[in-house]
Amino acid sequence: MDLKWLPNALTIARCLLAGVVLWSCWKASVQFSADTDASFETRATLEHLWAQLALLAFVAGALTDFGDGVLARALNAHSRFGVWLDPIADKLLVAGALVGLWLMIGGLALAIPALIIIARDIGMTMLRMTRLGQSTVAVSAMAKWKTTLEMIAIAALLVPLALAPREAEPATLASSPGPIAILLVGLLWIAAALSVYTALQYIVAARRENGNDRA
C-alpha cells in the first residue's frame, strides 16, 4: 500500500489546525464580552473549554510538524508540493496561535513580538515567490531554534488559560503577569529577534546563491 501521501496529509492538517486554534481562541475571548444572559459559571466554563481546544489543536499541529518530516524521510516521500506547503503550514499555525493569544491576553508586550514574527513570516513567504527567494538555501540551525522557541512559548502561554478556569485565577496574563508569564513572553521576544536575524541571514545567503548562479 502506497503511503507516500501521508506527509502531505499531515501538512494540510496543520493548516486546518491553525484555523481551529484561532477560532477557539476567539471564542474563548468573547465569552465575557458577548451580550448574553448566561451566568458567570457558564461563561467561565465555555471560556475554559475553548482555551483547552485551542491548546490541544496547537499541540496537535506542532506534532504534525515533527511527524510529516519523519514520515517523509521514512517513506522517501519528498515532493515539491510538500516542500512548498510545509513552511507555509508552520507559519499559519504560529500566526493563528499568536493572534489568538493576543485576543485572549492582550497587551503590547505580547502584541509587538507577535507582529514582528507574523510580519517576518509574511515577508519571507512573499520573498520565496520572487526570483531571489527561489534560490535553494538550506534552513539554518538558528531558524530551527527560532521555530522551536515560538512553539514552546505559545504552548506554554496557552497552558494556564486551558488548565485554570477564570474563578481560579485571572484569565488574562496581562492583568497580573507572574514571573513565569514574563519569562514566556520573553521567549517570544527572543524568537522575534531570531526571526529578524534569520530573515536577514536567508536574504544574504539567497543573494550569494543567486550571484553564484549568474557567474
Side-chain angles (χ1 to χ4, degrees), residues 4 7-8 68-69 71-83:
K4 290 189 175 182
N8 286 344
D68 61 9
L71 283 174
R73 289 187 292 271
L75 299 172
N76 193 24
H78 302 285
S79 66
R80 290 185 179 180
F81 177 75
V83 171

Side-chain angles (χ1 to χ4, degrees), residues 47-130:
E47 179 187 58
H48 191 207
L49 290 174
W50 282 114
Q52 289 177 334
L53 179 59
L55 174 61
L56 290 174
F58 181 79
V59 171
L63 289 176
T64 66
D65 186 25
F66 171 77
D68 61 9
V70 171
L71 283 174
R73 289 187 292 271
L75 299 172
N76 193 24
H78 302 285
S79 66
R80 290 185 179 180
F81 177 75
V83 171
W84 170 77
L85 186 61
D86 185 69
I88 293 177
D90 292 344
K91 292 172 175 58
L92 286 175
L93 182 64
V94 169
L98 287 174
V99 173
L101 274 172
W102 182 80
L103 289 173
M104 289 195 291
I105 297 173
L108 284 176
L110 178 61
I112 293 174
L115 285 173
I116 291 173
I117 291 170
I118 293 172
R120 180 266 189 194
D121 286 347
I122 292 174
M124 291 304 296
T125 300
M126 294 177 65
L127 176 63
R128 288 178 184 275
M129 296 178 183
T130 67

Side-chain angles (χ1 to χ4, degrees), residues 2-183:
D2 188 3
L3 298 177
K4 290 189 175 182
W5 55 270
L6 275 176
N8 286 344
L10 287 179
T11 305
I12 293 171
R14 187 154 71 256
C15 295
L16 298 176
L17 286 167
V20 174
V21 173
L22 180 56
W23 174 260
S24 301
C25 289
W26 175 73
K27 291 293 289 184
S29 71
V30 300
Q31 291 306 314
F32 283 87
S33 61
D35 185 14
T36 176
D37 295 329
S39 65
F40 174 86
E41 291 76 13
T42 299
R43 294 188 184 204
T45 299
L46 289 173
E47 179 187 58
H48 191 207
L49 290 174
W50 282 114
Q52 289 177 334
L53 179 59
L55 174 61
L56 290 174
F58 181 79
V59 171
L63 289 176
T64 66
D65 186 25
F66 171 77
D68 61 9
V70 171
L71 283 174
R73 289 187 292 271
L75 299 172
N76 193 24
H78 302 285
S79 66
R80 290 185 179 180
F81 177 75
V83 171
W84 170 77
L85 186 61
D86 185 69
I88 293 177
D90 292 344
K91 292 172 175 58
L92 286 175
L93 182 64
V94 169
L98 287 174
V99 173
L101 274 172
W102 182 80
L103 289 173
M104 289 195 291
I105 297 173
L108 284 176
L110 178 61
I112 293 174
L115 285 173
I116 291 173
I117 291 170
I118 293 172
R120 180 266 189 194
D121 286 347
I122 292 174
M124 291 304 296
T125 300
M126 294 177 65
L127 176 63
R128 288 178 184 275
M129 296 178 183
T130 67
R131 182 176 179 180
L132 175 64
Q134 288 172 358
S135 300
T136 303
V137 179
V139 177
S140 67
M142 193 74 72
K144 293 179 180 178
W145 274 109
K146 182 265 303 182
T147 302
T148 301
L149 279 177
E150 289 172 355
M151 296 288 189
I152 291 173
I154 290 170
L157 283 168
L158 284 168
V159 165
L161 300 169
L163 297 184
R166 181 176 282 262
E167 61 265 25
E169 66 179 58
T172 56
L173 298 177
S175 61
S176 59
I180 294 178
I182 293 173
L183 172 63

